Structures are given as C-alpha cells and as structure tokens.
Amino acid sequence: MSLEVQPASSLQGRWFRWRLDNGLTLVVVDNPAADIVAARLFLRPGMLAELPHQWGLNHLLAATLTKGTQRRSAQDIALAVESLGASLGTEAAPDYFVLGLKAVTGDFPELFELASELWRLPTFPDPEVALERELTLQNLRLQQEQPFHLAYDQLRRTLYPHHPYSVSTLGTLESVRNLTPEDLRAYHQRYFCPAHTVVSICGRVEPERVRAWVERCFADWSAPAVDWQPPPVPTPEPPVAPLRTIRPTQQSLVMLGYPGPAVHSADYPAMKLLSTYLGNGLSSRLFVELREKQGLAYDVSAFYPTRWQPAPFGVYLGTAAANTRLALVKLAAEMQRLLAEPLPEAELLTARSKLLGQYALGKQTNAQIAQLLGWYEVLGLGADYDFLFPQLIRQLTPEHLWRAAQRYLRHPWVSLVGPATALADIG
Amino acid sequence: MSELVYPNAPVHTITLTNGLQVVYHYQPTAVVAIEFWVRAGAAVEPAVYNGLAHALEHMVFRGSEQFPAGAFDRLIEQHGGLTNAATSQDYAHYYVLTSLDHWRESLIALADVLLRPNLAAEAWEQEQAVIAEELRQAQDHPDWVGQQVLYQHCYPDHPYGRPILGTDETLARITPAVLQQFHRQYYHPGNMVVVVVGAVPWEQLLAVLEEVCPGSQETQATTPRLAAPPWVQPVYRQLVWPQAEQGRLWWVWQVPETQDAATGWGLDLLAAILTGGRLARLTQRLREEWGWVQDIDACYQHQLAGGHWQLTAWLNEGVCPEQVQEVIAAEMLALQHHPVSPDELRRAKRQLLHAYTFAMETPQQMAQLYGYYHYVGWLEQGMQYRDRLSQFDPESLQQLACRYLHPEQAVRLWLQPGVAV
C-alpha cells in the first residue's frame, strides 16, 4: 500500500490518496465545514467502452444498478437509503460511470457499505431492466423537445461519426431497444474491477478511519484488470452546408461547433479560457455583444466539456426565427475576431480571474470536491491537477489563446434548429 | 438588534434608520453571499404593464451613473464572483457571491445599481428585445406553457394568475417613465431586506450599508398587502400542444394564506410521502410498478397572499391520463381516510430534516434560506424547524390532507402532445 500526503492547496484542509493492494484508488478530503459526508465511486471508462450497438449501456446500468443485489431487492435498497434520509444516485458520463452518495456523518458508514454492495454484487433483475429501458426510450423522445438538445445532437453526430461522443449518454432509440439484462451483467463482469475504480470521499471525517471503512468494504475484492483500448477518434471535414433540423419553434437555435482538444492536450487550458471568455457570465464577450448590445438573444453561451478524448467546442444562441441569418452572421463574426489578432491583455485578465474565481466557487460543497478530485483521478490526471490547473491558466498569454484559436476554431460546423421558413434561405 | 440561534450560529436581524432590514450571519468561509430581497414582485405591477417587475430586474443590470452599462457585471466577475437575479410574484431577489476580499465593493455596487439605476431609453429598447427572446424561449417549453395555463385557472382575476414575464402587448407599453415610477415606488431601503452570510465584520457591514443606502424611514411607503385570491371551482382543462413529445398532467390545490410555517412544512411532508423517493406512494405505483410515468413530483409553493400545492406527472407514450388520474384520486382520498403509517412518516421526516442540512452547506444556500424565511415572516419559526417537524403525527397530517387536498377540489390540466405536422 502506498500513501501520498499532499501539501495544502486551494482545497480546505488536505487530501490523501491511497492505492489499495488490489489496485483501487482512494482519495479522501477532510473538510470539517458541515456535518455531511459525500462520496463518489467512479469507474472508467464510461461510454468510451460502448460499441455502437450498445450505446446507452452505461445509462441503463446506472438506472438499474440500485435495483437489486445478490442480497437485497430493489425495495430493500430503497428502504435502506430512504430510511436514512440519505441521497444515493448513479450517472453515466462519456468518460466514466459514477455512483454518488451523501449522508449526515453518523449515517455514512452504513450507506457506504450499501454502495459497495451495489458496486460489487448487482443482479440487474429482468423486470427492472425492462422498465428502465422503456423509461429511457421515453426520455429520448422527451429530449427532442429541447431546441438546444437537437442542435447539439446533430452537431456531435457529424463531429464524431461512429464514436460514443456522437450520442447522448442515453444512447439512441435503436441501440437502447436492443439492450438486454445479459448485456448489463456481461459489462459489469468485464469492467467493474478494483483497478478501474476510484473512490473519492469528502466530509467531516478522519482520513485513516475512512480508509478503514473502504478497506472493510473493498479490500477483499479481486477481479482482473480489463484490457481495454479507447476507440479511434474520427477526423471528419466540416460539412459544406449547415446542419438543419426543422421544428415549429418560436426561436431558432444557432450553434457553431468545432472539434476541440482533449484534457491531456497542452491546448486544453487555453481552450477552457477561450470558452470562459466567450460565453461564461454577464460580462462575457458573446453576452455583451449579442445580448446586451444587439438584443439578439436571452440565452447565449459557450461550451467546452472536459474530456479524455478530443471534446467538442461550441457557441450558440436562441433567437427569434426572423433573426436566424443575422444571428448566424454575428456569431460567426465574433469567432473570426478571435482568429484576426490576439485579444487585448485586459480582456484576457478579466476572463482569467473569472475562470479562476468560479473554479474556486465550484468547490464549496463536499459533493463538489469529491466529484472534482475523483474525476481528475479517473481521467488519469491525478487529484493534484486541482492544484496544477490554476497554474496553467495563470501562465496563458494572449498569444497562447490566439494560437489555440488558429488551431481549432478556423472552420465551424454550423448547426441550426428552427422553423422551415427561417432555415430555408441559409446555405 | 435581535439575535436568533439558527441552527448552529446566531443570525442577527436589525432595521436601520433608513428602513433597510438586515439579516446577518457570521460564517468563517472564504466566500461571502450578499442578497437583496425587494418587495416588488410581479403581483404589485399594474395589469396593463404586466411584466414590469421582471423588466425592472433586467434593467438594474444595465447599471447606474456610478457603474455604467457593463461595469457592475465586470466588477463582480473580474474578481471571480457571480451575480444574478430572479423575479417572483411576491419579490425580486438579487444576489452576489464573491470572495471575502471583495465583499465591500461588491455590496456597494449592487446597492448602487438597485437604488439608482439609469433606466435610459436606449438601454430599455435593447432590453425589451432580450425579454422578448426570453418569452419566446419560454414558449418553446411545454412545462412553462402548461404552468401558465394552470396559473390562469388557479388565480382568475388575481395578479398571481398573470405571467411574470408579461406578454408581447404589455411589454410594448412599458416606457422608461413607467419603469422610473415603479422603481420610485418600491425600490427604496424601507422596502428591502439585505442578507449577508460570510466572514464580514458586523461594524464594517453596518457602516457600508448606512453609507450606500441613505434616507429615512418616515418618507417611505412599504408595499401594500395583496388581497387573497378568490376561491376557485375545481376544473379540468385539456390543451393540445403539438411541440410536446410527452403528455403532462397537473393537479393543483389552492392553499389559502397562512402565517403558520408549520402548515407549509406539513404540506411538504405530504408531498414527500407521495413522491419523495422510490418508496413514496405515487412514485411506487405510477413509475416503479406500472411504468406509466417518466416522473411524478409534488411540491408546496408558498406565496404571501396564498400559495398552492401541486402534483405534476410526465406520462409515457400511450398512457391514458384517466388511468393515472384514478390512481392519484385514490391516493389523495387514502390520505384523508387513513392515517399514514409511522414508518412512512419517520422516513419523510428524516428526508426533510436531512434535505435541510444538505441545503445549508454553503453561504449562498444559507443566505437564500434566511432571506426567503425573513421575507415571508418565518425566520423565527424557521429556527424551530427540527422540533416542529418532529411533532407531526399521522393524525395531524390526515387533518391537513382533509383540509387542503381533497381530490374533488383540484384544478387539473392535461397537456396532450399533438400530432406532428
């Protein structure tokens, strides 16, 4: 067993990391601020392990993991959680699968023991899988109501053909219909192993005691590490015509998307800062130019998720159908501006303070801290990336951002959703 | 100054000579939460200018003489802070989250734009376009559309029945002079509450507040009490909405004005028993056993002149709303005819108590809770939350259900997905 103790960084208190003998990684943060303990159990590699005919498997796994183990029924599990007044939830993500729990400190050991049982011994009962599969199909239809979702969906389908990043974590109607309880059991048996598991715990706890809890639940778990390769990342050319989905909506959704870098890329911090500069907050460039000055939108923003493999970068706004073309021209002009010349130093400094300040604000609750450190571990960056990331951001100059923009933001994928009349004349 | 022990540190409340009410909680964190609650919600706006309160909330962010357009947003965000606002029927609520180093300038700036906004014609013209987009965006969401129809039916001939965003027609009538008048009437210290949670020294806070909010209480009028909404007959409406992919069913009951916080907490317990978790009665039947709904949710929404208790179900394709309604009606009747089991009640209480603990983890969460409770007059009762909640027994919940949630008294709406054209 190895132990590392980190010097105090921006996180309150200190964090500890152990690797158990079976390969499981444990991160613990002692944060005495509230009488609450939050934990996250992560499993890599999430959707990246799904083949096209299985898309949505991790989501269905998430929906049914809490619905039966070799020792307890769905009812027993719900009773255990709800009797404690605790919260326990599961979620599939592109790069990981996660089980999250939160309890008042006194209840935590009991809840964690239940979580470990769910992690190790789920049974995926047939009727529960059938129920959750139907609800997932319904959820996929419900997603079609949201213009943002439609625009983002057609964008990622063309950015990542045949790759798991091309679809939402729910999967597709076709793939979900074919998922069976056997698929879930086989996936669980293959991927759930100590070497792929990261446990991250934050709260009013003594780290050594937490380690003892975790060892009691997991030290006797042995399963071979799986041999797994990430899927190849496609490199498509931008389509010649805009992507369009016709919907009888009041607003059009206008989106420009680009293939951006992965979190491991040296360009990741620069692209994170560009995304903040463009779309984060009331003082962001797009908000000021397109909303405040031109009144083209209520919602205008940017996205660039943190991903193990190259992530989509995008900007978008919702605008009156009659303004579709104008909004597209203005949005494209803002992106061109980033390519023309480096940003003024003052604009970069404002964006930098905003990003760093909000990064710190995003670590207020125990659940947020457990999520962030565990996520960094699962991405292979290590929990100390929490310390490194602000340093990387502080080193960026206008030239760095300019070069990154040149590299990634030259050719947009245009994605439009709106009424036929609004989209007809945009070619 | 009065001091309330709430729940692990004192919360101080005081009214300054200028009329401003202050709620303060010292919390040794690196983050400071500052909130202003203004008694200027949509319900006090004239009907012809529906949307005015929300419009003014937008215009506050257009700045003041001292903090012209964009300066306020930049000041807060360049130090890594956050700011935003929301308007409800009863109040407008503004907040800033900032680091301890910047609490003073953030508070000064927020108070200045609130008390002395520019409200210039050009800025209003631009903001009108933004609000028009907000309205369009809302109209593209079936949940919002259904909720508006429901409010019309629940609160006929009452301000609570009007949309907070206003309509295209009423927004077009609003001029800078109308905004000025509304601002003069309601945005003064005597009509506001400020909440501060963080490691801010009390004396320094008072000094800043006295400086940025001058004035004396005597010259200021506070917002008048709103009349209670008229009692409505139960009704069942149907709405075909082609853009919806999923049907939604709402059951809503009016809850008359109450000064007793415990009534609200009892109604929260009933909501938890019906939909709070997988074992809750309606979730168990409708989602887990029969797979008829994607989700079902109950909640009590408190409002000053009278709130409502609402059930919302998102129905799966092909499920007939009548079969779901039968189940709902049966469960609502059961609550009136039989006391809930001790185990169910224990779970519901524990769930709410822990949700309360979870909801007090950050200065922002605390400030919002104190601000809201102070606003509705429940701050003192709120300190007794744990004790009061534990006093509920099956019989008292049964009485609440009988009094407020009779299935035949509900206002119901079925929003049906249309055939795509």
Side-chain angles (χ1 to χ4, degrees), chain A residues 20 22 71 116 120 194 214-223:
Chain A
L20 304 193
N22 60 10
R71 296 173 194 154
S116 70
R120 293 177 59 177
V214 174
E215 284 186 328
R216 197 170 61 224
C217 296
F218 280 111
D220 64 339
W221 186 29
S222 63

Side-chain angles (χ1 to χ4, degrees), chain A residues 17 44 198 263-264 308 373-385:
Chain A
R17 178 172 50 198
R44 64 171 76 88
V198 174
V263 67
H264 295 276
W308 192 354
L373 296 193
W375 188 14
Y376 284 157
E377 283 292 329
V378 101
L379 285 171
L381 297 160
D384 25 29
Y385 193 71

Side-chain angles (χ1 to χ4, degrees), chain B residues 112-131:
Chain B
D112 194 68
V113 294
L114 273 172
L115 291 166
R116 295 172 280 275
N118 278 329
L119 308 180
E122 191 192 357
W124 170 234
E125 203 174 307
Q126 291 164 334
E127 204 58 36
Q128 254 176 324
V130 174
I131 296 172

Side-chain angles (χ1 to χ4, degrees), chain A residues 220-304:
Chain A
D220 64 339
W221 186 29
S222 63
V226 57
D227 179 27
W228 168 82
Q229 293 297 320
V233 181
T235 52
E237 290 297 312
V240 284
L243 308 165
R244 300 163 216 251
T245 298
I246 306 291
R247 303 296 271 193
T249 46
Q250 300 265 322
Q251 276 192 328
S252 292
L253 201 301
V254 178
M255 183 180 283
L256 299 178
Y258 308 81
V263 67
H264 295 276
S265 160
D267 294 320
Y268 168 76
M271 295 300 280
K272 247 347 197 199
L273 190 52
L274 276 173
S275 170
T276 298
Y277 169 74
L278 285 167
N280 184 348
L282 312 182
S283 62
S284 67
R285 175 76 190 184
L286 298 181
F287 191 95
V288 171
E289 294 299 319
L290 303 182
R291 173 170 155 162
E292 301 244 292
K293 292 190 182 163
Q294 306 188 39
L296 281 171
Y298 171 68
D299 189 15
V300 48
S301 194
F303 56 83
Y304 173 50

Side-chain angles (χ1 to χ4, degrees), chain A residues 199-427:
Chain A
V199 177
S200 176
I201 298 174
C202 180
R204 190 181 286 175
V205 290
E206 288 171 45
E208 288 289 344
R209 272 186 75 187
V210 171
R211 193 190 67 181
W213 292 337
V214 174
E215 284 186 328
R216 197 170 61 224
C217 296
F218 280 111
D220 64 339
W221 186 29
S222 63
V226 57
D227 179 27
W228 168 82
Q229 293 297 320
V233 181
T235 52
E237 290 297 312
V240 284
L243 308 165
R244 300 163 216 251
T245 298
I246 306 291
R247 303 296 271 193
T249 46
Q250 300 265 322
Q251 276 192 328
S252 292
L253 201 301
V254 178
M255 183 180 283
L256 299 178
Y258 308 81
V263 67
H264 295 276
S265 160
D267 294 320
Y268 168 76
M271 295 300 280
K272 247 347 197 199
L273 190 52
L274 276 173
S275 170
T276 298
Y277 169 74
L278 285 167
N280 184 348
L282 312 182
S283 62
S284 67
R285 175 76 190 184
L286 298 181
F287 191 95
V288 171
E289 294 299 319
L290 303 182
R291 173 170 155 162
E292 301 244 292
K293 292 190 182 163
Q294 306 188 39
L296 281 171
Y298 171 68
D299 189 15
V300 48
S301 194
F303 56 83
Y304 173 50
T306 296
R307 293 268 175 91
W308 192 354
Q309 291 196 313
F313 185 102
V315 293
Y316 68 91
L317 53 74
T319 194
N323 285 337
T324 309
R325 173 186 284 277
L326 178 65
L328 177 58
V329 168
K330 298 283 185 187
L331 193 59
E334 287 300 329
M335 297 308 286
Q336 279 300 318
R337 176 175 173 268
L338 296 178
L339 302 174
E341 56 181 351
L343 294 175
E345 181 88 20
E347 294 192 19
L348 177 131
L349 291 180
T350 301
R352 188 172 85 182
S353 302
K354 189 193 315 185
L355 193 162
L356 293 176
Q358 295 191 359
Y359 183 75
L361 285 182
K363 293 187 288 186
Q364 289 191 83
T365 67
N366 288 330
Q368 288 171 325
I369 294 169
Q371 169 70 24
L372 189 71
L373 296 193
W375 188 14
Y376 284 157
E377 283 292 329
V378 101
L379 285 171
L381 297 160
D384 25 29
Y385 193 71
D386 176 54
F387 190 62
L388 185 60
F389 177 67
Q391 292 181 339
L392 295 172
I393 293 292
R394 278 192 202 95
Q395 288 163 9
L396 293 170
T397 64
E399 284 68 32
H400 285 124
L401 268 58
W402 190 42
R403 281 204 298 275
Q406 295 282 354
R407 192 165 302 150
Y408 297 100
L409 305 179
R410 296 190 79 84
H411 304 293
W413 270 246
V414 180
S415 176
L416 306 170
V417 175
T421 47
L423 305 194
D425 61 336
I426 297 173

Side-chain angles (χ1 to χ4, degrees), chain B residues 70-124:
Chain B
F72 171 70
D73 305 339
R74 253 197 324 277
L75 175 82
I76 301 299
E77 293 186 349
Q78 78 187 4
H79 300 313
L82 286 176
T83 180
N84 217 327
T87 304
S88 82
Q89 291 289 358
D90 289 330
Y91 51 80
H93 165 219
Y94 300 80
Y95 67 85
V96 164
L97 200 58
T98 187
S99 64
L100 184 57
D101 296 341
H102 300 288
W103 73 266
R104 185 191 306 264
E105 56 192 302
S106 302
L107 173 57
I108 290 172
L110 178 58
D112 194 68
V113 294
L114 273 172
L115 291 166
R116 295 172 280 275
N118 278 329
L119 308 180
E122 191 192 357
W124 170 234

